[in-house]
Amino acid sequence: METKKSQAKEYNSLFQLFKTPPAQIPQFFAYAGEDSYEFELIVEHYREILQKTLGDFEVILIVSESGEQAKLFAELFTPDMFYPRKLIIIKNATALFKPILDPKAAHEWKDFASGFRKNITSVSDEIFTLIHYDGKDVPKSLIDLFQGTLSYFKTKVLYPNDYPKIFKEVCDQEQAHFEPNATEEFIHRTPANVGAYIKSVKKLKQYLHKSKFTLEDVNSVLFSQNELNTNVLVESLVQKRKVDFFKEFTKFGDQNSEILNFLTRLTYKLDEIRKIKVIRSRHNGEVPIPIMDELLKTGSFSEARKNFVRRQLVSDSANFTDKVLDLFYDQVIEMNIKFKSGLRDEEGKNYFIQKIMHLFSLLQDKSSK
């Protein structure tokens, strides 16, 4: 295989990586984001390509535990006559690299970093490394550690006007086709990230053994009554339906990703409510469709979906004064910080329920009106 070291760059999307010719895939690649499923898609992509191009290879897993930095150093830089071809997978890389990248690092870690920089450009072209940097960004210090050999992709926040484009890219990637009403339902109810889209499309193909899907297919396979639907959580909260909210929450699977998806969806919903309130204030209580298309990016929706969205948002916005809306934003930001900092398990669940009860009380509190 030809060398990859001169091709280090930032990728704009996962699809750009997936479409990269096998001979040009990055030797060192970092994924910055919290979606572990998206990272697993990258790992699977590399496995398939390396199997075809290298033949047999060893898979090495590196995690953020004591001594794993030394293991990484040895796997990268020590010649191995038995397994010269390797795919090194680094998970929880934020913690693994933290002592190495610390500007005030101890002497031993400074020596480690110096040795890493000195040797990284000489690593065998048959050794590939994938890094899950579980944060929002790939720090410059990590890029510098790899001496310009590290390509990377940073997940980006998706907004409603991005959904149709991303969905089309996923369908093209998976060679899947959806009827128009099935597309609308899929986008409306699936968490807005590439990983969730791909996972759901793959699930449809696996369960139904076909590539063309109807609305009935989408509802029966993806949105069964046994799986948590973050969209239902959001709608029942803003509509003050406490019983429905906690009925849906009984399906919670103790995964931070579910709560973070909910918080992302809630943020989008609050933005939509704020924009609807602005539109109505400027148009005598009305919501002209062209204005809604411009501000809420609903231009790609069918007329039926547009009218449904308009009616629903007008109704939902009646539950929010400007003061309540600001208080909701404050709470969502606080919850995001807590859960992204590692709050989880029973403590996280109790904290989440406490905050949700507070949000319901804000909607009921007449003094906030």
Side-chain angles (χ1 to χ4, degrees):
M1 295 183 71
E2 63 186 71
T3 181
K4 320 294 184 305
K5 295 182 177 64
S6 63
Q7 300 173 5
K9 64 179 181 180
E10 178 178 0
Y11 282 72
N12 295 321
S13 73
L14 289 182
F15 303 107
Q16 185 183 5
L17 175 66
F18 295 155
K19 293 176 182 177
T20 299
Q24 298 175 15
I25 62 169
Q27 181 176 12
F28 306 117
F29 187 83
Y31 166 85
E34 296 171 337
D35 190 332
S36 59
Y37 184 76
E38 286 189 357
F39 182 68
E40 292 305 323
L41 289 173
I42 296 171
V43 170
E44 187 59 32
H45 180 67
Y46 266 73
R47 283 177 180 268
E48 292 177 0
I49 287 179
L50 296 184
Q51 186 65 52
K52 293 177 182 177
T53 56
L54 295 182
D56 292 337
F57 60 93
E58 184 181 17
V59 177
I60 308 295
L61 179 63
I62 305 291
V63 295
S64 59
E65 295 179 357
S66 177
E68 290 290 275
Q69 292 91 349
K71 179 182 176 182
L72 172 62
F73 199 96
E75 294 293 351
L76 278 172
F77 307 128
T78 304
D80 190 331
M81 62 181 295
F82 297 105
Y83 289 103
R85 303 182 180 95
K86 301 177 185 177
L87 174 60
I88 301 173
I89 302 168
I90 304 175
K91 295 188 175 182
N92 307 118
T94 306
L96 183 83
F97 285 104
K98 183 177 181 180
I100 304 169
L101 304 180
D102 188 346
K104 299 179 180 179
H107 184 71
E108 62 175 300
W109 291 120
K110 288 183 179 179
D111 287 345
F112 182 101
S114 177
F116 197 101
R117 293 189 187 95
K118 179 181 178 180
N119 291 283
I120 192 63
T121 56
S122 301
V123 173
S124 166
D125 287 345
E126 294 185 331
I127 296 177
F128 289 76
T129 302
L130 297 176
I131 302 169
H132 186 184
Y133 203 86
D134 41 332
K136 294 182 179 180
D137 204 348
V138 177
K140 184 178 182 300
S141 55
L142 182 65
I143 297 173
D144 291 342
L145 185 69
F146 277 80
Q147 296 289 285
T149 66
L150 182 67
S151 293
Y152 57 92
F153 167 70
K154 300 182 292 186
T155 53
K156 302 173 181 64
V157 175
L158 299 179
Y159 296 98
N161 55 310
D162 298 319
Y163 302 168
K165 177 178 178 291
I166 297 298
F167 180 69
K168 183 179 184 305
E169 289 182 311
V170 169
C171 288
D172 290 345
Q173 174 78 20
E174 295 298 321
Q175 297 183 323
H177 305 274
F178 288 70
E179 292 184 353
N181 56 354
T183 295
E184 291 180 352
E185 188 72 3
F186 184 103
I187 293 175
H188 182 61
R189 298 182 64 179
T190 306
N193 62 69
V194 174
Y197 280 16
I198 293 179
K199 186 176 183 178
S200 296
V201 172
K202 285 181 177 292
K203 184 176 180 179
L204 281 166
K205 292 172 67 176
Q206 178 183 359
Y207 277 58
L208 301 177
H209 304 288
K210 62 181 183 179
S211 59
K212 296 182 179 180
F213 306 106
T214 65
L215 177 61
E216 182 181 354
D217 294 332
V218 169
N219 282 326
S220 63
V221 174
L222 299 183
F223 307 122
S224 70
Q225 295 183 353
N226 296 321
E227 297 183 7
L228 180 69
N229 187 328
T230 54
N231 190 64
V232 171
L233 288 181
V234 170
E235 297 299 327
S236 55
L237 172 60
V238 300
Q239 293 165 18
K240 302 189 293 185
R241 295 185 283 112
K242 188 183 297 184
V243 172
D244 290 340
F245 181 96
F246 286 104
K247 180 179 179 181
E248 185 67 25
F249 189 67
T250 59
K251 306 169 188 175
F252 175 60
D254 289 328
Q255 299 178 26
N256 266 23
S257 59
E258 290 180 332
I259 289 180
L260 291 171
N261 282 334
F262 163 76
L263 293 174
T264 299
R265 282 279 180 174
L266 180 56
T267 300
Y268 292 159
K269 186 70 173 185
L270 296 175
D271 284 342
E272 290 174 344
I273 289 173
R274 177 178 57 80
K275 290 174 182 178
I276 283 292
K277 289 171 70 68
V278 170
I279 293 173
R280 296 189 71 197
S281 69
R282 295 177 179 177
H283 295 274
N284 299 317
E286 299 297 322
V287 182
I289 290 293
I291 302 299
M292 186 178 78
D293 285 347
E294 179 183 352
L295 291 183
L296 274 72
K297 310 302 181 184
T298 54
S300 62
F301 292 8
S302 67
E303 290 304 313
R305 174 67 75 179
K306 288 181 185 181
N307 287 323
F308 172 80
V309 169
R310 177 170 58 177
R311 290 194 303 270
Q312 192 66 64
L313 286 175
V314 168
S315 175
D316 293 344
S317 66
N319 295 326
F320 290 83
T321 62
D322 292 342
K323 179 180 178 180
V324 169
L325 204 52
D326 289 342
L327 291 172
F328 258 69
Y329 275 119
D330 291 342
Q331 293 299 308
V332 170
I333 291 172
E334 178 185 326
M335 293 169 74
N336 257 301
I337 293 173
K338 283 282 189 180
F339 283 102
K340 287 181 178 179
S341 65
L343 187 65
R344 61 183 68 245
D345 301 328
E346 196 63 28
E347 181 185 4
K349 185 175 181 179
N350 291 337
Y351 171 82
F352 180 78
I353 292 174
Q354 177 187 358
K355 287 298 180 182
I356 291 300
M357 292 300 293
H358 178 59
L359 293 178
F360 273 115
S361 69
L362 287 176
L363 292 172
Q364 300 290 348
D365 186 3
K366 301 300 181 182
S367 65
S368 298
K369 303 302 182 184

